[in-house]
Amino acid sequence: MRSLFNPSDHGPADPYESDRSAVPLSPPADASPSVRTEQAADRDVARDPGSGADPSPIETTGMQADGQETHSLPETAGPVGWQPRSGDRFEQAPVQGSGQTTAPTYSVHEEPADSYGAAARYGDPAQDTVTPPDADTLQRLLADVGSQTSRPPVDPAGTPDLGEGDDSVEENASSSQSAERPPRSAPSVTQSITGANNGTVIGIQLQNIINRMRNTDLRRAWVEEQLAVYVPAENEEEAATVLLRENVLVLIGDTGTGRQTTALHLLRGLSGKGLTLKRFLREPDDPFAMDDLAGQRGVGWILDLRAEGDAVSRLGYSLQKTDLLKDAGSYLVVLASPQLWETVGQGGDHAAVTLEAAEAKSVLRAYLAAAPECAGPGLWIDNPRIAQAIAGRLPGEVKRWADAIREEECRPATAMLPSATADDVGAAFNERIDRVIEARADWRNQLRDWHIGHPDSDHRNYLLAAATMDGAPVEKIYPAAESLAEALGETPVPRPGQQGPGIIELTHMVGAVLSADGTVTLPSEGYAEAVVEYFLVDRAHLVDRFTQWTATQAVELEGDLGLQLADRVAELVLRHTQKTRSVALLKSVATQWSAKKVLREHARDLLSVAAVDAGTGRMVRNKILEWARKEDEPVALRATLAAVCRQVSQVYPREALLRLDALAESGNQKITDAVGRAINEMWDNPDQRKKVRSVLRSWAANSKATVRSSGSHAFLHLAGRSDEDGTPSLLVGEDKENDLPWIVQNWRTALDHDPLPDPAVVAFSVWMDGADTAPDIRDAVFDVFARAVHDGPDENRAVRFLSLNRLATHWEPSEPTKPLTERARLRDELITCVRQADPGNSGSHSGVPQT
């Protein structure tokens, strides 16, 4: 099939987007100690700063693609040699230096989460042998195996793309791309970003996600990298025709069909028209109309509706208004699921194309052909067991199989003897296929067999501790395994002297490596995650105890080890939430961490990442709203939720405010303080200020005293701000007149408090300082305070006046023995003004104390 839009040269860029779901391979259970020692040595060399290794960062689990479980989407400089094409039709361009046309390739496919026990679908490995290769292939394979060294697998640095939408089009933060993956270091959520954010890697990850989601422009380097490996859909030509004819296209497909990459490819192919690629920013369930795209010319828009539950009423009819796009020389591609289009697509059939995913074998061939470490891709592609495993699978899932094969190709291999026969080679290759299939099943079968063979909880606890703290020093893991036993309700058996297995024996029993520097490392990145996942499923009733243990370990471990453990646990929690679509573990960890001061920011960032995750974001945000409304939820957790809303508001301001509104009903001071800080930060964003004003006005007029109190507390944080000339910020701006009623109401609520909240003292000082330095606002300041005292229930008027008096005296203390200062005169003028504004004035019905 001829493709209308194919990328040109992709240069040296690594075609693989980071995908931790393609679990790295573990050596077989019966691997000899010598093989494990060689692996440890390889890790040690790579860790050694003097070895010349330049470890590039490793990605983390995240959510992207059109699937439920997704991972990092690194950004590189992108392919070189790209040349804009003119006109409406495009040709395949040759690979740089190859002299031939690029094979169709595929990138950033939408990836569904695997179901457990997937290996069962692929037959019995013990009975399904590989057909021995022919003589020429055998010689090539023997030469390859004999010369193979311990090469770290290719894994470009990058940050996870966790935008709202299954394989979201949000732009990744820029990062360099390494030719080789470095060995794993101490555990962390991600090693793709250097620097620190309150000491947490996940915090940096979150900010990069938010930055991408707030950015409408899709930079060329990011687009090129998403398309570095791309296989066109079977009906790409039909989609291109519709886009060129209508200037609008709706790509309809299930999770994994590759809607985003197809959209990027088609729009990029129109670069000859001078298009700028952009994502249309909106919150879930926001309305959409073609008029929203007005005012910008030459834009290739992507409207992403893949987020679970997202909908746009009467979208199909809206898409009929294409004249606006045509007049502006712009194009729009909408990404939608069949279920969504069924409900909103009426009237839009002229622009709709149901995407037919590329054939699985072609996708696998493209990925393996682009992998420099895969010397014989044909052996994998033509293998009947691999062919059976990928048959009928969508491109996103096939990509994960390609990653598993790539990991296997990078495994250290023992050279075969020159006398090895074709049967020997075939048997060895069959073992490699076994490991790939097992990795795609999350090592579930191997771990089940290991647990059956190791009923001793000492061994199991050591394995779980080593997996949770993968890469930590052995002197930390050994006692951690004992404390884990206690946390799970066991009574560890005393083993004085040399009774029981020691560190070396335990490490060997669990299939880990004790390296020369004293760290315990499980033999594959994915194996550690699989061990924890196995425990969470197998012992669901112990999840809370396990998470409490991780929190205690993170607090008690010295130096960076505690933070690294917290980052690693966060990664495990995110993966588990993505796979199971359950928030039980997420809530358990967040609750435990929120209760510990040093882990509160980790709890905030963990919940924030989950809340903006493409596959779980909507579910988590709904749960946050549910927890915010429950008075019986722990105070520390609910205070953390306010901090989460503060971060999430950068991309979902309306939803954040709704959850802050629920939290505002709490009468707890800690929660109220957290709500106030969140509102204050949202106010700093000019785009959110109008929404914040609206919410604060509604809170000020609420019939519930707790809501008015929270609104007042949030207001006081804003009232304590001033412009450069000292004028209170709330008295400046076009909307200040409309703001006066709720400003007065919030000052009234604050003055009703006894004792006065600390923010009230700060805010009052700011307002009086402004009145002192800017006489033109003095009348406005006095009027606000006078109305705050008097425009309310008469029975509290005296309380409010006394509160105001105390604030004024605190601002400028009364010293009768000293000459009257200008500030003292201003203080007295305020008190006189407020007293004179009393509706009862000096009469008997006055609620204001008289001097």
Side-chain angles (χ1 to χ4, degrees), residues 39-70:
Q39 294 170 319
D42 289 331
R43 290 189 181 93
D44 294 340
V45 169
R47 281 195 187 100
D48 181 8
S51 67
D54 183 17
S56 62
I58 302 175
E59 82 294 347
T60 183
T61 301
M63 295 295 295
Q64 58 131 17
D66 206 15
Q68 299 169 351
E69 180 185 358
T70 55

mmCIF file of all heavy atoms in Angstrom, residues 39-70:
data_model
loop_
_atom_site.group_PDB
_atom_site.id
_atom_site.type_symbol
_atom_site.label_atom_id
_atom_site.label_comp_id
_atom_site.label_asym_id
_atom_site.label_seq_id
_atom_site.Cartn_x
_atom_site.Cartn_y
_atom_site.Cartn_z
ATOM 1 N N GLN A 39 27.573 -10.706 35.392
ATOM 2 C CA GLN A 39 26.628 -9.603 35.289
ATOM 3 C C GLN A 39 26.931 -8.544 36.315
ATOM 4 O O GLN A 39 26.868 -7.348 36.032
ATOM 5 C CB GLN A 39 25.197 -10.121 35.494
ATOM 6 C CG GLN A 39 24.751 -11.056 34.378
ATOM 7 C CD GLN A 39 23.454 -11.728 34.731
ATOM 8 O OE1 GLN A 39 23.277 -12.128 35.876
ATOM 9 N NE2 GLN A 39 22.575 -11.842 33.772
ATOM 10 N N ALA A 40 27.270 -8.978 37.519
ATOM 11 C CA ALA A 40 27.586 -8.004 38.558
ATOM 12 C C ALA A 40 28.798 -7.188 38.178
ATOM 13 O O ALA A 40 28.849 -5.974 38.377
ATOM 14 C CB ALA A 40 27.828 -8.727 39.891
ATOM 15 N N ALA A 41 29.801 -7.872 37.616
ATOM 16 C CA ALA A 41 31.007 -7.149 37.214
ATOM 17 C C ALA A 41 30.693 -6.108 36.153
ATOM 18 O O ALA A 41 31.216 -4.999 36.157
ATOM 19 C CB ALA A 41 32.059 -8.141 36.700
ATOM 20 N N ASP A 42 29.801 -6.480 35.228
ATOM 21 C CA ASP A 42 29.425 -5.536 34.191
ATOM 22 C C ASP A 42 28.767 -4.312 34.804
ATOM 23 O O ASP A 42 29.006 -3.180 34.395
ATOM 24 C CB ASP A 42 28.460 -6.190 33.194
ATOM 25 C CG ASP A 42 29.169 -7.228 32.338
ATOM 26 O OD1 ASP A 42 30.385 -7.061 32.107
ATOM 27 O OD2 ASP A 42 28.510 -8.177 31.914
ATOM 28 N N ARG A 43 27.908 -4.533 35.796
ATOM 29 C CA ARG A 43 27.266 -3.396 36.438
ATOM 30 C C ARG A 43 28.275 -2.530 37.159
ATOM 31 O O ARG A 43 28.203 -1.311 37.158
ATOM 32 C CB ARG A 43 26.206 -3.880 37.431
ATOM 33 C CG ARG A 43 24.997 -4.500 36.765
ATOM 34 C CD ARG A 43 23.902 -4.761 37.792
ATOM 35 N NE ARG A 43 22.753 -5.370 37.185
ATOM 36 C CZ ARG A 43 22.558 -6.679 37.116
ATOM 37 N NH1 ARG A 43 23.443 -7.496 37.642
ATOM 38 N NH2 ARG A 43 21.478 -7.163 36.546
ATOM 39 N N ASP A 44 29.237 -3.201 37.807
ATOM 40 C CA ASP A 44 30.228 -2.446 38.565
ATOM 41 C C ASP A 44 31.059 -1.563 37.654
ATOM 42 O O ASP A 44 31.357 -0.412 37.956
ATOM 43 C CB ASP A 44 31.145 -3.400 39.334
ATOM 44 C CG ASP A 44 30.359 -4.149 40.407
ATOM 45 O OD1 ASP A 44 29.276 -3.665 40.789
ATOM 46 O OD2 ASP A 44 30.838 -5.199 40.850
ATOM 47 N N VAL A 45 31.438 -2.109 36.491
ATOM 48 C CA VAL A 45 32.225 -1.330 35.553
ATOM 49 C C VAL A 45 31.437 -0.124 35.081
ATOM 50 O O VAL A 45 31.935 0.994 34.999
ATOM 51 C CB VAL A 45 32.639 -2.206 34.346
ATOM 52 C CG1 VAL A 45 33.231 -1.341 33.246
ATOM 53 C CG2 VAL A 45 33.638 -3.262 34.795
ATOM 54 N N ALA A 46 30.155 -0.361 34.780
ATOM 55 C CA ALA A 46 29.340 0.745 34.291
ATOM 56 C C ALA A 46 29.103 1.778 35.368
ATOM 57 O O ALA A 46 28.945 2.957 35.089
ATOM 58 C CB ALA A 46 27.996 0.216 33.788
ATOM 59 N N ARG A 47 29.068 1.338 36.648
ATOM 60 C CA ARG A 47 28.855 2.298 37.731
ATOM 61 C C ARG A 47 30.097 3.117 38.016
ATOM 62 O O ARG A 47 30.032 4.199 38.563
ATOM 63 C CB ARG A 47 28.482 1.559 39.015
ATOM 64 C CG ARG A 47 27.037 1.102 39.076
ATOM 65 C CD ARG A 47 26.688 0.734 40.507
ATOM 66 N NE ARG A 47 25.370 0.138 40.563
ATOM 67 C CZ ARG A 47 25.170 -1.155 40.643
ATOM 68 N NH1 ARG A 47 26.190 -1.973 40.681
ATOM 69 N NH2 ARG A 47 23.962 -1.635 40.692
ATOM 70 N N ASP A 48 31.269 2.554 37.678
ATOM 71 C CA ASP A 48 32.527 3.187 38.050
ATOM 72 C C ASP A 48 32.724 4.484 37.282
ATOM 73 O O ASP A 48 32.785 4.476 36.059
ATOM 74 C CB ASP A 48 33.678 2.213 37.759
ATOM 75 C CG ASP A 48 35.027 2.808 38.164
ATOM 76 O OD1 ASP A 48 35.058 3.890 38.790
ATOM 77 O OD2 ASP A 48 36.035 2.170 37.859
ATOM 78 N N PRO A 49 32.807 5.630 37.973
ATOM 79 C CA PRO A 49 32.976 6.891 37.253
ATOM 80 C C PRO A 49 34.246 6.927 36.430
ATOM 81 O O PRO A 49 34.352 7.671 35.467
ATOM 82 C CB PRO A 49 33.019 7.941 38.375
ATOM 83 C CG PRO A 49 32.485 7.251 39.587
ATOM 84 C CD PRO A 49 32.740 5.797 39.409
ATOM 85 N N GLY A 50 35.221 6.121 36.832
ATOM 86 C CA GLY A 50 36.470 6.144 36.101
ATOM 87 C C GLY A 50 36.500 5.216 34.916
ATOM 88 O O GLY A 50 37.501 5.113 34.223
ATOM 89 N N SER A 51 35.413 4.531 34.700
ATOM 90 C CA SER A 51 35.401 3.558 33.615
ATOM 91 C C SER A 51 35.132 4.180 32.265
ATOM 92 O O SER A 51 35.174 3.527 31.250
ATOM 93 C CB SER A 51 34.337 2.487 33.887
ATOM 94 O OG SER A 51 33.055 3.056 33.816
ATOM 95 N N GLY A 52 34.800 5.465 32.297
ATOM 96 C CA GLY A 52 34.482 6.128 31.034
ATOM 97 C C GLY A 52 33.030 6.030 30.666
ATOM 98 O O GLY A 52 32.599 6.569 29.666
ATOM 99 N N ALA A 53 32.248 5.321 31.485
ATOM 100 C CA ALA A 53 30.825 5.216 31.196
ATOM 101 C C ALA A 53 30.157 6.543 31.437
ATOM 102 O O ALA A 53 30.507 7.269 32.338
ATOM 103 C CB ALA A 53 30.187 4.144 32.079
ATOM 104 N N ASP A 54 29.204 6.837 30.627
ATOM 105 C CA ASP A 54 28.454 8.084 30.771
ATOM 106 C C ASP A 54 26.995 7.734 30.916
ATOM 107 O O ASP A 54 26.238 7.763 29.974
ATOM 108 C CB ASP A 54 28.678 8.962 29.536
ATOM 109 C CG ASP A 54 27.976 10.291 29.672
ATOM 110 O OD1 ASP A 54 27.616 10.654 30.806
ATOM 111 O OD2 ASP A 54 27.789 10.962 28.646
ATOM 112 N N PRO A 55 26.622 7.361 32.151
ATOM 113 C CA PRO A 55 25.253 6.862 32.310
ATOM 114 C C PRO A 55 24.248 7.924 31.955
ATOM 115 O O PRO A 55 24.269 9.008 32.503
ATOM 116 C CB PRO A 55 25.179 6.510 33.802
ATOM 117 C CG PRO A 55 26.566 6.595 34.324
ATOM 118 C CD PRO A 55 27.327 7.466 33.410
ATOM 119 N N SER A 56 23.387 7.599 31.026
ATOM 120 C CA SER A 56 22.303 8.510 30.714
ATOM 121 C C SER A 56 21.103 8.118 31.548
ATOM 122 O O SER A 56 20.992 6.998 31.989
ATOM 123 C CB SER A 56 21.949 8.428 29.226
ATOM 124 O OG SER A 56 21.508 7.144 28.915
ATOM 125 N N PRO A 57 20.191 9.035 31.763
ATOM 126 C CA PRO A 57 19.083 8.741 32.642
ATOM 127 C C PRO A 57 18.182 7.671 32.082
ATOM 128 O O PRO A 57 18.128 7.427 30.892
ATOM 129 C CB PRO A 57 18.344 10.081 32.730
ATOM 130 C CG PRO A 57 19.354 11.089 32.273
ATOM 131 C CD PRO A 57 20.214 10.386 31.312
ATOM 132 N N ILE A 58 17.452 7.060 32.979
ATOM 133 C CA ILE A 58 16.489 6.033 32.608
ATOM 134 C C ILE A 58 15.109 6.576 32.881
ATOM 135 O O ILE A 58 14.889 7.346 33.777
ATOM 136 C CB ILE A 58 16.718 4.746 33.419
ATOM 137 C CG1 ILE A 58 18.143 4.248 33.171
ATOM 138 C CG2 ILE A 58 15.732 3.659 33.030
ATOM 139 C CD1 ILE A 58 18.507 3.058 34.004
ATOM 140 N N GLU A 59 14.160 6.136 32.087
ATOM 141 C CA GLU A 59 12.810 6.653 32.227
ATOM 142 C C GLU A 59 12.087 6.037 33.399
ATOM 143 O O GLU A 59 12.550 5.128 34.024
ATOM 144 C CB GLU A 59 12.018 6.352 30.949
ATOM 145 C CG GLU A 59 11.439 4.945 30.861
ATOM 146 C CD GLU A 59 12.490 3.873 30.774
ATOM 147 O OE1 GLU A 59 13.659 4.203 30.541
ATOM 148 O OE2 GLU A 59 12.147 2.716 30.950
ATOM 149 N N THR A 60 10.872 6.489 33.621
ATOM 150 C CA THR A 60 10.000 5.892 34.625
ATOM 151 C C THR A 60 8.688 5.484 33.999
ATOM 152 O O THR A 60 8.347 5.899 32.914
ATOM 153 C CB THR A 60 9.683 6.873 35.750
ATOM 154 O OG1 THR A 60 8.887 6.192 36.712
ATOM 155 C CG2 THR A 60 8.924 8.052 35.251
ATOM 156 N N THR A 61 7.957 4.703 34.735
ATOM 157 C CA THR A 61 6.606 4.399 34.306
ATOM 158 C C THR A 61 5.781 5.657 34.321
ATOM 159 O O THR A 61 5.868 6.460 35.202
ATOM 160 C CB THR A 61 5.979 3.382 35.264
ATOM 161 O OG1 THR A 61 6.772 2.225 35.274
ATOM 162 C CG2 THR A 61 4.568 3.026 34.842
ATOM 163 N N GLY A 62 4.968 5.819 33.339
ATOM 164 C CA GLY A 62 4.065 6.947 33.294
ATOM 165 C C GLY A 62 2.862 6.534 32.491
ATOM 166 O O GLY A 62 2.600 5.371 32.309
ATOM 167 N N MET A 63 2.107 7.464 32.009
ATOM 168 C CA MET A 63 0.996 7.117 31.165
ATOM 169 C C MET A 63 1.082 7.946 29.903
ATOM 170 O O MET A 63 1.227 9.142 29.958
ATOM 171 C CB MET A 63 -0.316 7.406 31.860
ATOM 172 C CG MET A 63 -0.498 6.538 33.081
ATOM 173 S SD MET A 63 -0.642 4.800 32.692
ATOM 174 C CE MET A 63 -2.137 4.762 31.778
ATOM 175 N N GLN A 64 0.965 7.318 28.804
ATOM 176 C CA GLN A 64 0.946 7.991 27.540
ATOM 177 C C GLN A 64 0.168 7.096 26.629
ATOM 178 O O GLN A 64 -0.527 6.204 27.061
ATOM 179 C CB GLN A 64 2.364 8.178 27.020
ATOM 180 C CG GLN A 64 3.069 6.858 26.893
ATOM 181 C CD GLN A 64 3.718 6.722 25.568
ATOM 182 O OE1 GLN A 64 3.907 7.671 24.870
ATOM 183 N NE2 GLN A 64 4.036 5.539 25.179
ATOM 184 N N ALA A 65 0.342 7.261 25.379
ATOM 185 C CA ALA A 65 -0.237 6.417 24.376
ATOM 186 C C ALA A 65 -1.723 6.349 24.549
ATOM 187 O O ALA A 65 -2.326 7.034 25.318
ATOM 188 C CB ALA A 65 0.369 5.030 24.405
ATOM 189 N N ASP A 66 -2.320 5.455 23.793
ATOM 190 C CA ASP A 66 -3.760 5.340 23.839
ATOM 191 C C ASP A 66 -4.129 4.228 24.778
ATOM 192 O O ASP A 66 -5.236 3.746 24.776
ATOM 193 C CB ASP A 66 -4.273 5.038 22.430
ATOM 194 C CG ASP A 66 -5.681 5.523 22.264
ATOM 195 O OD1 ASP A 66 -6.127 6.307 23.113
ATOM 196 O OD2 ASP A 66 -6.303 5.125 21.299
ATOM 197 N N GLY A 67 -3.181 3.783 25.583
ATOM 198 C CA GLY A 67 -3.411 2.643 26.418
ATOM 199 C C GLY A 67 -3.464 2.991 27.865
ATOM 200 O O GLY A 67 -3.277 4.094 28.293
ATOM 201 N N GLN A 68 -3.736 1.962 28.665
ATOM 202 C CA GLN A 68 -3.910 2.184 30.081
ATOM 203 C C GLN A 68 -2.592 2.206 30.802
ATOM 204 O O GLN A 68 -2.468 2.880 31.802
ATOM 205 C CB GLN A 68 -4.799 1.081 30.663
ATOM 206 C CG GLN A 68 -6.194 1.060 30.021
ATOM 207 C CD GLN A 68 -6.956 -0.165 30.394
ATOM 208 O OE1 GLN A 68 -6.401 -1.073 30.996
ATOM 209 N NE2 GLN A 68 -8.217 -0.228 30.037
ATOM 210 N N GLU A 69 -1.629 1.467 30.328
ATOM 211 C CA GLU A 69 -0.323 1.476 30.978
ATOM 212 C C GLU A 69 0.694 1.994 29.999
ATOM 213 O O GLU A 69 0.866 1.463 28.929
ATOM 214 C CB GLU A 69 0.069 0.070 31.424
ATOM 215 C CG GLU A 69 1.430 0.068 32.101
ATOM 216 C CD GLU A 69 1.877 -1.316 32.444
ATOM 217 O OE1 GLU A 69 1.125 -2.240 32.194
ATOM 218 O OE2 GLU A 69 2.993 -1.459 32.958
ATOM 219 N N THR A 70 1.343 3.085 30.354
ATOM 220 C CA THR A 70 2.269 3.680 29.429
ATOM 221 C C THR A 70 3.479 4.164 30.165
ATOM 222 O O THR A 70 3.531 4.163 31.367
ATOM 223 C CB THR A 70 1.605 4.833 28.688
ATOM 224 O OG1 THR A 70 1.105 5.735 29.661
ATOM 225 C CG2 THR A 70 0.468 4.344 27.846
#
